[in-house]
Amino acid sequence: KNEVEQSPQNLTAQEGEFITINCSYSVGISALHWLQQHPGGGIVSLFMLSSGKKKHGRLIATINIQEKHSSLHITASHPRDSAVYICAVRGGATNKLIFGTGTLLAVQP
Amino acid sequence: AAGVIQSPRHLIKEKRETATLKCYPISRHDTVYWYQQGPGQDPQFLISFYEKMQSDKGSIPDRFSAQQFSDYHSELNMSSLELGDSALYFCASSLTVNNEQFFGPGTRLTVL
C-alpha cells in the first residue's frame, strides 16, 4: 500500500464544474504539497500546507492533520486546468517529498 | 523572478555512457533536491543538498553522484548509463529546508 494515496485516479469534468481531488497519507508529515504537471511538462507547485486551508484564485486546498487527509478543489473548472494533479508529503524527519500516484484531470469544453 | 533552471532540457545517450545534469536554483535558495520520474511513474526522490552539504539521500544508484557548488547550483553525474535510467529528472529548490519546493522544467534523459 502506497504511503500517499489519491482519488480518483482519473477524472473527466465539463467546463464550469466544481472539482475535488482527494489525498490520504499514512505517515507523519510536516507539510503537504499539491503540484500540477502537464503532459510531458514540468511540475508547478500549487500549495504547501501544514494546517487549515489555502486559496489561490480558483484553487482551494484543505488539510485535516488528525484524519491524514487533504483535498484540492477547483471552482469553475476550465479546459486549461487539464493536467495531472499530484499530492506529495514531506515526512517529519526528512525534507524529501513522497509523491502520490497523481490524478489525471480532463476538463472538456 | 527567474525560476529553477535545468540544463540540458533533453539528452540522448547510449548505454554505458556518462551524463551530467545541471540545476540552477532560484536566487537565494540554498537547498536543492533531485527527483527521477520514469515513464508512467511517480517522481522518486534521489538526493538533496543544503548549503553545499548532502542533507538527505533517497533511492539514488551508486552509479550516480551529485554535488552542490558555492553558487548553490547542483550537478547530477550519472555513469555507466542503463536503459532503465531513461526518465525525466527534476530539480527543485527551496529557501532552507522545510520550505516550499519550486520545481524546474526537468531534463528528459533517453538512454539508447
Side-chain angles (χ1 to χ4, degrees), chain A:
Chain A
K1 184 171 166 56
N2 292 334
E3 293 172 298
V4 182
E5 300 261 354
Q6 286 184 234
S7 63
Q9 286 190 310
N10 294 281
L11 181 57
T12 300
Q14 295 297 312
E15 184 172 358
E17 284 186 1
F18 180 83
I19 289 163
T20 296
I21 299 170
N22 295 299
C23 173
S24 296
Y25 53 92
S26 57
V27 295
I29 69 168
S30 56
L32 181 145
H33 296 245
W34 280 102
L35 310 167
Q36 180 194 56
Q37 184 175 30
H38 286 278
I43 294 176
V44 175
S45 177
L46 299 175
F47 295 103
M48 185 182 77
L49 292 165
S50 54
S51 65
K53 176 179 174 179
K54 284 190 176 180
K55 183 176 189 292
H56 185 250
R58 295 181 294 107
L59 301 178
I60 303 166
T62 63
I63 188 169
N64 184 318
I65 297 294
Q66 287 73 29
E67 295 185 3
K68 295 189 174 181
H69 180 269
S70 176
S71 293
L72 175 69
H73 306 285
I74 304 175
T75 61
S77 59
H78 190 276
R80 64 173 175 265
D81 297 327
S82 298
V84 175
Y85 290 84
I86 304 170
C87 168
V89 302
R90 190 174 69 227
T94 177
N95 55 22
K96 70 178 184 182
L97 292 180
I98 303 169
F99 292 79
T101 51
T103 294
L104 177 60
L105 171 65
V107 181
Q108 298 179 338

Side-chain angles (χ1 to χ4, degrees), chain B residues 14-19 63-64 78-82 85:
Chain B
E14 305 224 339
K15 282 197 310 184
R16 292 179 288 277
E17 286 191 322
T18 61
R63 299 177 288 108
F64 295 6
M78 310 159 73
S79 63
S80 302
L81 287 169
E82 302 173 357
D85 296 328

